[in-house]
Amino acid sequence: MKSLFARIMCRLALCVICLMLGVPALAGVRLEAPARAARGDAFFALAVSDQPAECFVFLWRGKAFAARAELADEAGGQNSALWRAAILLPVPLDEKAGSLELGVAAAAFDGKADKVAPQALTRLEVYDKARPVQKLTVDKKYVNPPASQQERIRKDREKVRQALARPLPERCWTLPLARPVPGGVSSLFGMKRVFNGQPRGVHRGLDLRGASGAPVQACADGQAALVDNLYFSGNVVYINHGEGVFSAYLHLSEARVEPGERVRRGQVIGLVGATGRVTGPHLHLSLIVQGHAVDPQPLLAAECAPAAVSATSVHTGSQAQ
């Protein structure tokens, strides 16, 4: 702890000396991000500076997202303290642009993230993944819900909206995310869905195989943001992992956490079930990043069972859509 404090004080002293001597002290901010990202995916971005920073503000698709800076040593270096911040950012499924600009700037953590000018810029190519069509047969009440259920459905959506709007400033997630169940994939994110012959948009989650009653584990540390029973999604648990990242576990037979409870990566938060709009027991996993549902699969730990996608696999109706 003393050496960390000493390193920070040395850096601050160096900045003061450089200013007194008229020597430029700011070496700039470095931004690391992939060259391309698919529509429907989230990507990992990293900002680095050798000057003290409280946070970094990432400028993406016309919005600003703040991430707290952490002090870390450059690998293999000595006395090379760096301030870093990592963030997940989404490329929505309906993004129209062929490329998007990402900017970043060091800033004070004061809630004025939208008033900064970028200190580093990069551009990402945006591309499409193949999205197959999936035809399913479900109870007709989940295709055309009766009028008596419309108010409940509206309230369900509002519950999810409010849960996703609650901030958790600290970053609790690490990559890769833990796999919540060991089963393989039965239905991919982004598949075009047809229920009982009627088109119903796309599947905004990842269906994982699991026997009824099998334990479901949290993908990362966080806080239970919503534990409830929803019309389409059945029994659900939403976990806030901080800095705009949420995971959601749908169609559970039962939940094993309480709203507001702090959870740990790998903790059992529920059991696999078949509640809500489904054709059989499975886990629907949603990942919501900065308000957009994205494909969890690229961010999950290696699969324990081979992926196998079927046009007649189990279905989920996600409130995160």
Side-chain angles (χ1 to χ4, degrees):
M1 189 69 176
K2 289 183 178 179
S3 62
L4 176 63
F5 178 76
R7 210 161 51 233
I8 295 173
M9 295 307 297
C10 287
R11 283 283 178 179
L12 292 174
L14 178 61
C15 292
V16 172
I17 293 171
C18 288
L19 289 172
M20 291 176 62
L21 297 176
V23 178
L26 183 61
V29 175
R30 187 170 82 245
L31 175 59
E32 298 178 11
R36 61 199 304 260
R39 291 178 177 86
D41 279 3
F43 66 91
F44 181 82
L46 178 70
V48 182
S49 174
D50 62 358
Q51 300 302 315
E54 291 183 24
C55 81
F56 291 90
V57 176
F58 294 83
L59 307 170
W60 177 245
R61 301 182 64 253
K63 294 183 179 180
F65 304 97
R68 287 187 183 275
E70 298 176 346
L71 186 63
D73 285 336
E74 183 80 331
Q78 292 183 348
N79 300 321
S80 53
L82 297 175
W83 280 259
R84 306 181 182 197
I87 198 167
L88 279 176
L89 294 169
V91 181
L93 268 173
D94 58 358
E95 176 58 57
K96 305 298 183 186
S99 67
L100 292 167
E101 186 175 76
L102 172 64
V104 72
F109 202 82
D110 56 5
K112 298 178 181 178
D114 58 338
K115 301 188 183 210
V116 301
Q119 294 172 277
L121 292 167
T122 189
R123 183 165 284 275
L124 283 73
E125 176 193 348
V126 177
Y127 68 95
D128 286 317
K129 286 182 177 178
R131 307 289 185 188
V133 175
Q134 187 175 42
K135 297 180 180 180
L136 299 164
T137 301
V138 298
D139 190 319
K140 64 181 181 180
K141 71 179 182 180
Y142 291 117
V143 180
N144 297 299
S148 61
Q149 295 297 325
Q150 294 300 328
E151 180 62 15
R152 180 189 174 185
I153 293 169
R154 185 194 67 77
K155 288 181 178 179
D156 286 350
R157 288 173 178 159
E158 180 59 19
K159 288 177 184 178
V160 173
R161 188 196 68 77
Q162 290 183 9
L164 297 179
R166 296 189 189 106
L168 188 64
E170 67 268 29
R171 176 167 64 89
C172 303
W173 53 267
T174 57
L175 295 180
L177 300 174
R179 198 171 178 80
V181 293
V185 176
S186 61
S187 186
L188 292 169
F189 175 92
M191 295 185 77
K192 298 176 179 67
R193 282 300 181 62
V194 178
F195 300 112
N196 301 0
Q198 300 182 40
R200 283 293 188 273
V202 298
H203 185 222
R204 296 182 183 267
L206 186 71
D207 285 352
L208 299 172
R209 291 190 176 90
S212 183
V216 176
Q217 299 179 340
C219 287
D221 292 358
Q223 184 177 40
L226 178 66
V227 181
D228 210 328
N229 178 274
L230 309 180
Y231 182 78
F232 288 115
S233 305
N235 296 323
V236 303
V237 172
Y238 280 69
I239 299 177
N240 187 345
H241 302 292
E243 292 187 348
V245 177
F246 291 78
S247 60
Y249 312 79
L250 280 53
H251 308 305
L252 303 173
S253 62
E254 63 177 88
R256 290 286 180 89
V257 291
E258 298 294 330
E261 181 180 338
R262 284 282 178 166
V263 300
R264 304 294 295 177
R265 178 187 176 101
Q267 178 181 334
V268 175
I269 51 88
L271 304 179
V272 171
T275 55
R277 184 169 66 179
V278 297
T279 61
H282 71 288
L283 174 69
H284 168 106
L285 173 66
S286 284
L287 186 65
I288 303 99
V289 175
Q290 317 302 349
H292 293 275
V294 299
D295 188 355
Q297 193 169 19
L299 304 175
L300 286 179
E303 297 185 22
C304 298
V309 180
S310 167
T312 57
S313 56
V314 293
H315 165 63
T316 166
S318 169
Q319 289 296 316
Q321 294 182 15

